[in-house]
Amino acid sequence: MKEIDEIYQENSLVLKNKKIGFIGGGNMAEAIIKGMVSSSLIKASNVFVSEPNKSRQTFLSAEYKIKIVKDNLELVKKSDVLIIAVKPQIIRQVLNGISDQVDVKKLVISVAAGVPISQIEEALCFRKKKKLCVVRTMPNTPAVVQEGATAIAAGKGVSKTDLKISHEIFQAVGQTVEVPEEQIDAVTGLSGSGPAYIFMIIEALSDAGVKMGLSRDVATELTVQTVLGSAMLVRETGTSPGELKNRVTSPGGTTIAGLHALEKGSLRATLMDAVEKATLRSKELAE
Ligand SMILES: NC(=O)c1ccc[n+]([C@@H]2O[C@H](COP(=O)([O-])OP(=O)(O)OC[C@H]3O[C@@H](n4cnc5c(N)ncnc54)[C@H](OP(=O)(O)O)[C@@H]3O)[C@@H](O)[C@H]2O)c1
């Protein structure tokens, strides 16, 4: 296994020796911690978590050897980078509670869905004027298996190094892209809600296999591998999905017969509607 220094040198990473603090030790925090610790991106002793639930505390410290701190204020004191991983409904209360301790040297990264950077800056600066480094992210559930898709949007005070740190953290749980904050609702509608669309498609294809006489296990296994393999083919060849589709569609063959049925059922328009509706709902909820 490679030493942590070697990994850093080879990839010119900037996260080394940074102390990362998680406010909230739930599902998303755990996914990121697991990704960072298992990829040796950071030493477990440089990860701190503030979490009220005792059984979660015990689990996280035993499983990942990270440090549990007594409260959010102690966490802020100990950390260079703060990851806000609590539910959106309590984020204001949590930020108000730590605002005195958060200074310009700290990078604040939020994973909370639907909470704009301006709200985070406002809550952290409510007593005094200060220019803060706030990054807003929108990860998705496949982060749990290190195959997440995370969009990163930077606030005004964020430096190139802060952005690099943010990418490094979320690359430990998958792929990252950078977008202006006004596109985060579209990201929510596409990759945030996207896993649910794909789960539904997998379920439907598996049902279809059963209808055609396959056992449930075989139908699901074939479907999952087909979805995974097709996605990897797009990613690894860099070829457009349209071109890859054309390559497996022979004249008068089986695939074009299946594609015709999908066109009749308006699959493409339905998926576009789904992303549009989810994007608009995300905007509505933020307001
Ligand atoms: N899960 C996802 O796939 C996903 C995707 C995109 C974005 N997000 C965002 O990630 C954030 C966290 O989601 P999650 O699914 O990880 O939720 P979660 O599992 O409920 O985790 C939140 C954790 O924060 C703890 N907590 C509550 N009050 C706290 C406080 N005052 N200080 C510190 N910790 C506190 C909770 O403890 P208790 O359970 O005891 O209350 C819980 O363990 C949300 O804002 C969500 O929008 C999640």
Side-chain angles (χ1 to χ4, degrees):
M1 196 168 146
K2 280 184 181 163
E3 290 297 318
I4 196 163
D5 285 334
E6 213 182 322
I7 293 170
Y8 269 83
Q9 223 166 11
E10 277 177 13
N11 300 297
S12 59
L13 300 172
V14 288
L15 201 55
K16 193 180 172 194
N17 298 330
K18 291 276 181 218
K19 303 211 177 339
I20 315 278
F22 288 81
I23 300 194
N27 296 314
M28 189 43 72
E30 184 185 349
I32 303 169
I33 292 166
K34 184 179 174 189
M36 289 196 307
V37 172
S38 65
S39 61
S40 299
L41 189 61
I42 193 159
K43 286 184 204 139
S45 56
N46 280 344
V47 178
F48 302 89
V49 177
S50 165
E51 161 63 46
N53 184 316
K54 292 264 180 265
S55 62
R56 268 317 270 172
Q57 293 178 358
T58 312
F59 168 77
L60 291 170
S61 61
E63 185 75 17
Y64 303 105
K65 316 286 176 245
I66 51 95
K67 293 182 180 162
I68 300 291
V69 297
K70 99 172 169 307
D71 57 28
N72 293 345
L73 282 175
E74 192 192 339
L75 184 100
V76 175
K77 274 187 215 149
K78 289 206 149 82
S79 311
D80 305 306
V81 180
L82 287 174
I83 302 191
I84 315 292
V86 290
K87 291 284 188 204
Q89 302 87 294
I90 62 159
I91 196 164
R92 177 166 279 276
Q93 168 206 330
V94 165
L95 294 176
N96 285 346
I98 59 170
S99 72
D100 283 345
Q101 293 293 330
V102 179
D103 58 32
V104 289
K105 289 188 217 127
K106 312 240 184 238
L107 168 61
V108 179
I109 301 178
S110 165
V111 297
V115 182
I117 291 172
S118 59
Q119 259 183 42
I120 298 169
E121 287 176 339
E122 194 192 308
L124 287 175
C125 301
F126 82 116
R127 269 192 237 279
K128 46 188 178 281
K129 281 203 168 142
K130 42 187 179 180
K131 193 170 144 241
L132 288 170
C133 309
V134 178
V135 166
R136 178 179 172 189
T137 65
M138 184 64 210
N140 65 5
T141 43
V144 170
V145 289
Q146 274 82 67
E147 286 295 346
T150 303
I152 292 175
K156 287 194 191 81
V158 172
S159 69
K160 280 194 175 147
T161 308
D162 294 333
L163 265 175
K164 198 160 188 299
I165 289 172
S166 311
H167 279 280
E168 283 177 17
I169 291 171
F170 288 91
Q171 278 163 2
V173 287
Q175 306 271 327
T176 58
V177 295
E178 208 170 310
V179 296
E181 194 186 10
E182 56 270 25
Q183 289 179 8
I184 286 278
D185 292 311
V187 168
T188 307
L190 179 64
S191 56
S193 304
Y197 312 153
I198 303 298
F199 298 144
M200 195 181 248
I201 289 171
I202 291 174
E203 190 188 30
L205 286 173
S206 172
D207 279 350
V210 172
K211 184 165 189 240
M212 292 299 109
L214 300 177
S215 72
R216 174 63 67 187
D217 286 353
V218 167
T220 304
E221 196 176 335
L222 289 174
T223 305
V224 169
Q225 186 56 30
T226 303
V227 171
L228 197 64
S230 306
M232 283 177 76
L233 202 57
V234 175
R235 186 155 81 187
E236 286 179 17
T237 61
T239 307
S240 77
E243 171 57 24
L244 290 169
K245 179 206 73 182
N246 291 348
R247 286 186 200 167
V248 292
T249 310
S250 54
T254 56
T255 307
I256 195 65
L259 289 174
H260 188 199
L262 292 178
E263 290 292 8
K264 273 193 190 158
S266 303
L267 177 79
R268 281 196 265 206
T270 306
L271 288 173
M272 286 170 84
D273 279 350
V275 174
E276 188 176 29
K277 288 262 187 256
T279 303
L280 295 174
R281 184 68 185 136
S282 170
K283 278 197 172 87
E284 257 174 37
L285 289 175
E287 280 159 15

